[in-house]
Amino acid sequence: MLGLERNTTSHTEKLISGLGGLVGILAVYLITVQVCGAGPGVVLMVTSMGASAVLLFGVPHGALSQPWAVLGGHLISAFLGVTCQKLWPGHFWTAALAVGTAITAMHYLRCIHPPGGATALAAVISGPEVHNLGYLYLLTPVLLNVSAILASAIIFNSLFPWRRYPAHLARRRKIKAVKPAERQFELTQEDFAAAMEELDSYVDITAESLTELLELAKQHAEKNSTHPEHIVAGHFYSNGKLGNLWSIRQVVDANSGDDRKDRVIYKVLAGDGAYETGISSRDDFRQWARFEVTPHKGRWIKVAAES
């Protein structure tokens, strides 16, 4: 219900992200204050840059974090915010219109950057100091802030090869393609593009990262691809499916008896049918189970097949 997902990044990565945000915002603030002074408008823009810092240092390879998204998102939103304020000053709906048009423009211009909404909002609600700037607001402090945060992201992330920014500069692992064992159709990048279009929702991942993720997933899929030979009480099994069809079952009882010969009693721990219990034949359960799994640090991992 809350959309709370397990964060699989390492502690090192989390700490680097936090340090990057500290360095980035410190640089933005010092440069902006030096050039523009410490007026109210500057403080508001530093707040907007704080949101950008989360993306640039926390998710440096995300689609929303790339240079055009940051630059275009802020400048276009600033322009629309100033325009709305000039055309309809003082109305209660002006700020809402500025944010709404900014989101629409960012969609069409392929530069969605959530902090841009705050930039548009600031142009309307910041008060006379910002209103008097007019379209100069786009240059100082917006463009100045954006330039500073982008430069900080490029320099800081360059210290870590796997985090180099923009995303295409990152040193990616060389992934050896795996020949499918018994797969009739091979998933392709075009398939994913078509599926994303059908999904009709913005996904914060670049095409390059998606392709890499696909290849890694296929490598994992080729491991332990046969159904488990033994169904053991107390053990966990996955059906190996994706999305809403994925399910994890734990075998509660797999003992044979006069009344329940070759029957398996199980409970669903995660995924489709969670918290339900059921009874099936041992053969049906084996056909359902793709491989055995075990819990590890909050997620499920495959159990290596016995040789």
Side-chain angles (χ1 to χ4, degrees), residues 54-203:
V54 175
L55 292 171
L56 289 170
F57 298 101
V59 197
H61 297 159
L64 304 181
S65 309
Q66 299 314 296
W68 169 237
V70 180
L71 181 63
H74 278 296
L75 290 180
I76 292 166
S77 298
F79 173 80
L80 292 171
V82 172
T83 300
C84 288
Q85 173 60 27
K86 283 183 170 293
L87 294 176
W88 302 285
H91 295 287
F92 72 92
W93 44 263
T94 303
L97 179 64
V99 175
T101 55
I103 293 173
T104 303
M106 286 189 286
H107 256 300
Y108 278 105
L109 296 174
R110 296 185 294 177
C111 57
I112 290 187
H113 188 64
T119 300
L121 186 64
V124 178
I125 68 172
S126 294
E129 294 85 358
V130 172
H131 296 165
N132 292 337
L133 290 174
Y135 289 106
L136 185 61
Y137 173 72
L138 276 69
L139 300 179
T140 55
V142 176
L143 181 58
L144 179 64
N145 273 241
V146 170
S147 300
I149 197 77
L150 283 174
S152 300
I154 292 171
I155 294 171
F156 179 84
N157 288 319
S158 70
L159 301 176
F160 312 96
W162 67 94
R163 287 177 59 96
R164 284 176 183 160
Y165 178 86
H168 75 275
L169 295 179
R171 182 184 299 171
R172 297 182 177 273
R173 291 174 292 174
K174 293 183 179 180
I175 302 175
K176 183 179 179 181
V178 176
K179 184 177 180 180
E182 295 179 353
R183 188 182 295 131
Q184 184 177 4
F185 299 105
E186 182 77 5
L187 289 176
T188 67
Q189 185 168 338
E190 289 77 12
D191 294 327
F192 265 82
M196 290 173 67
E197 183 177 355
E198 185 175 346
L199 182 63
D200 196 23
S201 181
Y202 193 89
V203 180

Side-chain angles (χ1 to χ4, degrees), residues 29 32-43:
Y29 183 82
T32 303
V33 169
Q34 184 67 27
V35 176
C36 302
V42 174
V43 174

